[in-house]
Amino acid sequence: MADEKRPGGLTALAVLNFVFGGFGALGVLAAAALLGVVNEVTEGAVAEEVGSGMFLFVLTSLSAALLIVSGIGYLLQKRVLGRYMGSFYGITSLASNGLGLAGGAEFSFFTIIGLIYPVLTLIMVNTTFKDDLVN
């Protein structure tokens, strides 16, 4: 497998993972900073209200990290880093988006992307690129 070229679609998937993972990481950092500021201004009153939202925050953080890790796995054509972490990302992201919608989040263009991309990732890494992620 070392002398074969990496499929262009797998490289494109890795690039999309890095882009979406970077935006996700920035969003998580911005949300954490905003929560810290609001908590400081309200003198701790927000911290008591955040309990159930913290699980969603952790899932979103995990999804962003898994996007970046699986992107590295796609580039290196690794089974565990690419296929398994990519699949774990898909499941985690779908759970995060589903919980967000169930919790009252608005349905928007970003929600559609947040639901379609994980499904496409699950399909691609478990069918189309399954034989390319073998190292």
Side-chain angles (χ1 to χ4, degrees):
M1 184 61 84
D3 56 347
E4 293 182 27
K5 290 185 69 167
R6 177 179 46 254
L10 192 57
T11 303
L13 195 62
V15 170
L16 285 173
N17 272 25
F18 291 136
V19 170
F20 290 147
F23 282 137
L26 288 174
V28 165
L29 290 174
L34 181 64
L35 184 62
V37 169
V38 169
N39 194 42
E40 186 69 28
V41 169
T42 61
E43 297 176 352
V46 173
E48 298 169 5
E49 301 289 327
V50 175
S52 62
M54 187 55 84
F55 182 67
L56 186 60
F57 181 78
V58 169
L59 276 180
T60 305
S61 303
L62 183 61
S63 291
L66 286 170
L67 272 168
I68 295 168
V69 169
S70 61
I72 293 168
Y74 299 156
L75 290 178
L76 299 176
Q77 293 182 280
K78 299 291 186 183
R79 178 181 295 134
V80 173
L81 278 182
R83 185 173 175 203
Y84 296 153
M85 292 297 132
S87 295
F88 188 47
Y89 152 73
I91 294 166
T92 304
S93 182
L94 288 173
S96 173
N97 283 306
L99 287 173
L101 288 172
E106 285 189 32
F107 194 83
S108 67
F109 173 75
F110 296 108
T111 307
I112 294 170
I113 298 298
L115 293 171
I116 291 175
Y117 188 69
V119 169
L120 287 176
T121 298
L122 284 168
I123 292 169
M124 298 292 270
V125 300
N126 290 301
T127 58
T128 307
F129 301 123
K130 180 174 83 170
D131 296 331
D132 297 316
L133 298 168
V134 295
N135 292 332

